[in-house]
């Protein structure tokens, strides 16, 4: 059974806005008309597609319909550009992890926006979870740690986002004597391992396991140290530079601070997080252009 394109586009607008009223404003129709379109769509496909809560939520059956709506909009845009019809900018939703967004991901998007009529709707989440946004139709492409492609999608490796444990010299002097200086190698220092059970560390949020993994590799019980949580990449780095605690920062972000002495390395092996670009398996000139720029930038700046 064909999916009505108008109803599918309305469903996507409702989910983007979070309400019938917000979708009505975006579509320049009344909330009543939005509601009628959604009911007609549900009748046509024989499935409930919206959970009528605040905000409105999609059912599992809605994901395929939303993907269809976004694909139709993208293909319509490509066709209009190819026919020289002066298509306005198309909104392209993409998912990206916070550290990539803070360090390298915006550069290729800026180049793309200078050449193509596109606006980017960025969704930020941990790299372990961004692929889920592809599956439910929220985004068209994602930076993810998942190497196996989501069904119906293509995947390309980007490289490794490398993290090193760092802290300020003052923090090291107070909490971690012997680290970051000319003393014993921290990886072999029993005294440092003991000190790490007491030294405050900084996590991004409750899903951030980088500091936990680094402590475990040093033989330190990760449950022992006190933890700050700072859930924004710039502020996370700033908290580290201000001496709130030690943390693992991307080398792309910490290099300048290490060079000017505001931070020192705590030692041990870096933690490498592999990243991949996944996108719809859909032949779209615009989406392919995004992939070319993002993959090229990732392979240029990320570790291999």
């Amino acid at each position: 059974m064909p999916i009505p394109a108008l109803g599918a586009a309305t469903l996507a607008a409702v989910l983007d806005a979070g309400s019938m009223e917000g979708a009505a404003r975006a579509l320049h129709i009344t909330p009543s008309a939005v509601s009628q379109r959604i009911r007609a769509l549900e009748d046509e496909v024989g499935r409930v597609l919206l959970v009528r809560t605040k905000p409105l939520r999609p059912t599992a059956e809605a994901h395929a319909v939303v993907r269809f709506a976004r694909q139709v909009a993208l293909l319509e845009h490509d066709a209009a550009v190819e026919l020289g019809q002066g298509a306005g900018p198309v909104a392209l939703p993409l998912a990206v992890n916070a550290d990539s967004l803070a360090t390298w991901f915006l550069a290729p998007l800026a180049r793309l926006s200078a050449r193509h009529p596109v606006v980017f709707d960025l969704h930020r989440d941990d790299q372990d979870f961004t692929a889920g946004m592809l599956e439910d139709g929220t985004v068209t492409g994602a930076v993810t740690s998942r190497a196996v492609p989501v069904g119906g999608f293509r995947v390309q490796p980007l490289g490794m986002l490398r993290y090193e444990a760092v802290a300020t010299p003052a923090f090291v002097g107070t909490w971690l004597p012997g680290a970051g200086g000319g003393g014993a190698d921290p990886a072999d220092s029993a005294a440092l391992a003991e000190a790490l059970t007491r030294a405050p560390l900084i996590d991004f949020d409750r899903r951030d396991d980088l500091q936990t993994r680094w402590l475990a590799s040093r033989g330190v019980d990760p449950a022992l140290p006190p933890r700050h949580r700072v859930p924004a990449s710039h502020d996370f780095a700033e908290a580290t530079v201000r001496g709130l605690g030690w943390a693992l920062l991307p080398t792309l972000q910490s290099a300048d601070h290490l060079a000017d002495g505001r931070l020192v390395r705590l030692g041990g092996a870096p933690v490498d997080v592999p990243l991949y670009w996944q996108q719809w398996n859909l032949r779209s000139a615009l989406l392919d252009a995004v992939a070319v720029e993002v993959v090229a930038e990732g392979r240029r700046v990320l570790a291999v």
Side-chain angles (χ1 to χ4, degrees), residues 32-53:
S32 176
V34 171
S35 181
Q36 290 171 15
R37 288 184 186 180
I38 296 299
R39 289 196 186 95
L41 175 64
E42 290 177 326
D43 290 344
E44 185 72 21
V45 301
R47 299 286 191 278
V48 174
L49 301 174
L50 278 179
V51 179
R52 268 69 171 179
T53 56

Side-chain angles (χ1 to χ4, degrees), residues 174-177 189-200 215 220 225-226 246:
T174 301
W175 292 98
L176 304 171
S189 171
L192 177 63
E194 174 64 24
L196 283 166
T197 66
R198 299 183 299 273
L215 284 170
V220 178
W246 68 268

Side-chain angles (χ1 to χ4, degrees), residues 96-108 143 158-166 210 233-234 236-237 241 248-259 262-263 265 270-273 275 294 296-304:
V96 59
N97 59 306
D99 287 334
S100 290
L101 183 60
T103 54
W104 67 271
F105 192 69
L106 291 178
V143 176
L158 294 169
M160 302 281 187
L161 191 55
R162 177 160 291 172
Y163 293 81
E164 290 184 304
V166 295
L210 288 178
S233 286
H234 173 78
F236 183 88
V241 172
L248 275 91
L249 293 183
T251 55
L252 292 173
Q253 196 172 37
S254 63
D256 290 343
H257 300 316
L258 289 165
R262 283 182 289 175
L263 294 175
R265 295 179 177 88
V271 175
D272 287 338
V273 175
L275 296 178
V294 168
E297 184 72 11
R299 292 178 180 177
R300 186 180 71 82
V301 303
L302 298 175
V304 294

Side-chain angles (χ1 to χ4, degrees), residues 19-195:
S19 68
M20 300 283 188
E21 294 76 12
R25 289 191 294 271
L27 297 172
H28 307 291
I29 58 178
T30 66
S32 176
V34 171
S35 181
Q36 290 171 15
R37 288 184 186 180
I38 296 299
R39 289 196 186 95
L41 175 64
E42 290 177 326
D43 290 344
E44 185 72 21
V45 301
R47 299 286 191 278
V48 174
L49 301 174
L50 278 179
V51 179
R52 268 69 171 179
T53 56
K54 291 186 178 180
L56 296 167
R57 293 185 294 108
T59 63
E61 291 80 5
H63 297 158
V65 178
V66 172
R67 285 198 302 271
F68 168 76
R70 299 200 196 283
Q71 289 172 355
V72 168
L74 186 55
L75 291 175
E76 285 180 343
H77 175 270
D78 283 352
V81 170
E82 189 172 344
L83 293 171
Q85 294 183 352
V90 64
L92 206 59
L94 306 174
V96 59
N97 59 306
D99 287 334
S100 290
L101 183 60
T103 54
W104 67 271
F105 192 69
L106 291 178
L109 300 193
R111 292 194 293 268
L112 286 158
S113 66
R115 300 198 309 267
H116 299 276
V118 59
V119 292
F120 296 105
D121 179 12
L122 299 184
H123 298 252
R124 187 187 67 189
D125 203 346
D126 185 271
Q127 62 271 0
D128 293 336
F129 300 94
T130 49
M133 296 186 195
L134 281 169
E135 294 174 299
D136 65 20
T138 300
V139 300
T140 61
V143 176
T144 174
S145 60
R146 191 184 298 186
V148 178
V150 178
F153 298 90
R154 287 182 281 160
V155 61
Q156 297 182 74
L158 294 169
M160 302 281 187
L161 191 55
R162 177 160 291 172
Y163 293 81
E164 290 184 304
V166 295
T168 65
F171 182 90
V172 168
T174 301
W175 292 98
L176 304 171
D185 181 356
D188 300 324
S189 171
L192 177 63
E194 174 64 24

